[in-house]
Amino acid sequence: AAVTGDAVIVQLYEQGELLRTLEGAVAADGKVVFENVPAGDKIVALPRSKHDDMMFSGHPVALKPTKDGCSAQVQVFDTSDDKSKISVQTHHFIVKNTPDALVFTEYMQLINSSSMAVSSKEEDARGRAVVLEIELPKGFKELKSLGYFEQDALVVTDEGFYDTMAVPPGEHQVMFSYALDKTSGAIDVVKGITLPTSKLVVFAELGQASLQGLGESKNQAMGPDGAEIRYYTRENLKPGEEIAFRITGLSVENSGAATWVVLAAAFGAVMILVVLRLRANKS
């Protein structure tokens, strides 16, 4: 199949931090040329291409000063609608207690065990394929794709989101994040399972708060900043099952809106005192 006009995206990283994103389209000769690309011992390029509503990732390439260039090739697959071929080998569900919110990061080792790209016959109201559906805890906000998913191919719903791109054959590292507001000292978290999952591990970095509902954790690790991380393991989860727990002992910071409510109340009290004094003087 022709690849002329296909989008190519190259993300440049320096010491793990995104430095620049390059975008181009495949020319008639099957190539994309990017000029004035920075090079260095610690600069790495990650190439990706989009073909027929599928994203394909290349291997990271070190852009050392002596490197003349690099190339990536699009491989085209037949497409099927058999979503039963998609599963999750390992799923890491990480929750971190920050001063402003509970921040969640999910890592999924997604596997398409067939030799075809998997799409879906199910379509949304705009005619887009509903390929991968991911459920998120109620009240989530600030959904961000950190790997594999293309942000503009995701459709956010009240229950979570779905991806409209077909899943190529093989193994894919999926990563995304979102947050929950700390509206009270205790928050219930329910995570629905939508894909067969061999192993799910819940990691909790909560500080003074604690997690209840997943049994007693006998496992703990140390985070990069020295914080204690407890983790809980579940295996062989099926679509329709849920992981539910409660986080207690949260400190709820006063928001700006709450501060304005307090100020408004105080201002109203002052006005009442002024009016009462005026009435007293008049009498």
Side-chain angles (χ1 to χ4, degrees), residues 32-283:
V32 180
V33 177
F34 297 104
E35 297 181 349
N36 301 318
V37 178
D41 291 332
K42 298 180 180 179
I43 296 180
V44 174
L46 179 61
R48 292 180 297 163
S49 57
K50 179 181 178 181
H51 177 81
D52 196 20
D53 285 334
M54 288 174 282
M55 290 301 299
F56 298 87
S57 294
H59 295 288
V61 179
L63 300 184
K64 297 182 179 180
T66 56
K67 199 79 173 179
D68 293 331
C70 60
S71 62
Q73 182 178 358
V74 173
Q75 185 176 3
V76 181
F77 298 93
D78 290 333
T79 305
S80 84
D81 298 316
D82 188 1
K83 294 200 287 186
S84 68
K85 299 297 183 181
I86 302 176
S87 63
V88 175
Q89 183 67 30
T90 304
H91 186 171
H92 289 173
F93 184 83
I94 303 167
V95 53
K96 184 174 182 178
N97 185 17
T98 72
D100 299 322
L102 290 174
V103 177
F104 296 80
T105 306
E106 297 195 32
Y107 299 84
M108 301 170 66
Q109 185 181 10
L110 190 69
I111 295 177
N112 175 1
S113 61
S114 73
S115 60
M116 297 184 178
V118 174
S119 184
S120 174
K121 292 182 179 178
E122 181 185 357
E123 295 184 346
D124 63 13
R126 294 177 57 185
R128 295 170 298 186
V130 181
V131 182
L132 287 180
E133 296 182 83
I134 306 294
E135 290 187 9
L136 301 180
K138 185 178 180 180
F140 76 93
K141 65 176 187 178
E142 299 175 4
L143 175 66
K144 297 177 183 177
S145 172
L146 305 176
Y148 177 77
F149 290 130
E150 289 297 309
Q151 195 76 33
D152 59 0
L154 301 182
V155 178
V156 179
T157 68
D158 291 339
E159 293 75 31
F161 68 92
Y162 58 87
D163 186 25
T164 59
M165 285 191 173
V167 181
E171 181 179 311
H172 311 282
Q173 304 302 322
V174 175
M175 183 167 60
F176 55 91
S177 69
Y178 51 92
L180 286 181
D181 285 329
K182 295 194 291 184
T183 54
S184 65
I187 294 180
D188 292 314
V189 177
V190 179
K191 167 67 178 179
I193 303 300
T194 55
L195 293 168
T197 302
S198 298
K199 184 177 182 179
L200 183 143
V201 184
V202 177
F203 294 89
E205 184 178 343
L206 301 176
Q208 299 302 315
S210 60
L211 185 150
Q212 302 173 357
L214 295 180
E216 182 180 357
S217 171
K218 298 181 180 179
N219 306 309
Q220 65 182 55
M222 197 72 70
D225 55 358
E228 179 186 80
I229 301 175
R230 293 189 173 274
Y231 58 98
Y232 311 78
T233 302
R234 296 290 185 272
E235 296 182 350
N236 299 321
L237 298 172
K238 297 178 175 59
E241 294 190 56
E242 293 180 339
I243 297 294
F245 54 88
R246 167 171 280 201
I247 299 175
T248 61
L250 296 170
S251 59
V252 182
E253 300 287 342
N254 288 332
S255 66
T259 302
W260 277 110
V261 169
V262 172
L263 289 175
F267 182 73
V270 171
M271 289 299 295
I272 291 172
L273 287 174
V274 171
V275 172
L276 288 176
R277 285 183 179 179
L278 287 174
R279 287 180 177 176
N281 291 337
K282 187 176 181 180
S283 63

